[in-house]
Amino acid sequence: MNGRLIPDRRVSVAIVALVFASGLSLAMLTARAVFVGHIQLGFYIWNLVLAWLPLLFALRVYRLANLRPARWWPLAVSATLWFFFFPNAPYLVTDFLHLKLRPPVPEWFDIVMMMSFAWTGLLLGYLSLLLMQETVRYRKGAAWSWGFAVMMLALGSLGIYLGRFARWNSWDVIFRPYGLAGDFYHRADFKTNPEMLAFLLTFLCFSLLSYATLHALAHLHHHPPPPVEPAEPDELRVAAARTLR
């Protein structure tokens, strides 16, 4: 894709790595179920599926935005779906609330397994955000793209709060919009619900730190092209003579 910071080949490599990370997380969950004799923490499977959705929508946006002429209707639908499902990826971090000792599984195994799912979810979400941010940068410039990224991380923190503590889902925006809006209005009184503000600020700080770090690491390989040395006068005369021949 011309003018993009992220070549298609690098995007493909990142997706393969995330498939591997997802497979490893599911393998740990499967090994746990075999060891115990029944499935525990099976909700991780569904949460991981939801975490993949924003990346799939972001890939769709990333490709549609580079078409000429632009296909605005499917692009707008894909961008909207990405917006509503984006919080499902970093949401996996909050599944640490389910951490407790569950014999005969050692606690350290559950810690590592939950870290694996949380890390995979973060990377899925942040790769999708990086693709969306790059689409905005391609159209509007770097300043607009970073404003977009910070706003999405803030709104994503809000979505995670509504999902974790209020138990709303992404599809409730379509099927239960009035109930969702009413509950949000009730909870958004920070004087009576200071925990909401504390969570939003804390998770936003975490999101900004982790996303900015991953963004910087992802662009370490980008170097400016070496400066072109000006040709010496003798070389110019030789080149001109060859051209005249």
Side-chain angles (χ1 to χ4, degrees), residues 21-32:
S22 299
L24 180 61
S25 301
L26 293 173
M28 295 180 69
L29 183 63
T30 302
R32 189 186 191 285

Side-chain angles (χ1 to χ4, degrees), residues 88-149:
N88 289 287
Y91 177 88
L92 279 163
V93 174
T94 66
D95 280 333
F96 270 103
L97 289 174
H98 297 286
L99 177 63
K100 65 178 182 179
L101 185 60
R102 292 182 173 89
V105 179
E107 191 174 28
W108 60 261
F109 182 89
D110 281 346
I111 291 175
V112 174
M113 185 188 72
M114 289 181 177
M115 287 177 60
S116 178
F117 275 100
W119 180 242
T120 303
L122 277 180
L123 292 180
L124 286 167
Y126 289 165
L127 177 57
S128 76
L129 179 57
L130 184 62
L131 294 173
M132 297 295 291
Q133 180 184 357
E134 174 58 15
T135 301
V136 175
R137 186 207 63 82
Y138 186 61
R139 296 280 182 174
K140 297 292 186 180
W144 277 91
S145 73
W146 274 107
F148 168 82

Side-chain angles (χ1 to χ4, degrees), residues 155-168:
L155 292 175
S157 300
L158 175 60
I160 293 169
Y161 176 86
L162 292 175
R164 169 55 64 191
F165 299 103
R167 308 309 298 168
W168 291 97

Side-chain angles (χ1 to χ4, degrees), residues 4 60 62-71 75 139:
R4 300 296 184 90
R60 177 73 171 162
Y62 194 68
R63 286 173 171 81
L64 288 173
N66 201 44
L67 296 179
R68 295 293 182 275
R71 299 170 60 185
L75 191 150
R139 296 280 182 174

Side-chain angles (χ1 to χ4, degrees), residues 152-184:
M152 292 303 102
L153 290 174
L155 292 175
S157 300
L158 175 60
I160 293 169
Y161 176 86
L162 292 175
R164 169 55 64 191
F165 299 103
R167 308 309 298 168
W168 291 97
N169 298 305
S170 298
W171 47 87
D172 288 327
V173 175
I174 299 175
F175 296 108
R176 301 172 62 192
Y178 297 110
L180 175 59
D183 189 42
F184 169 72

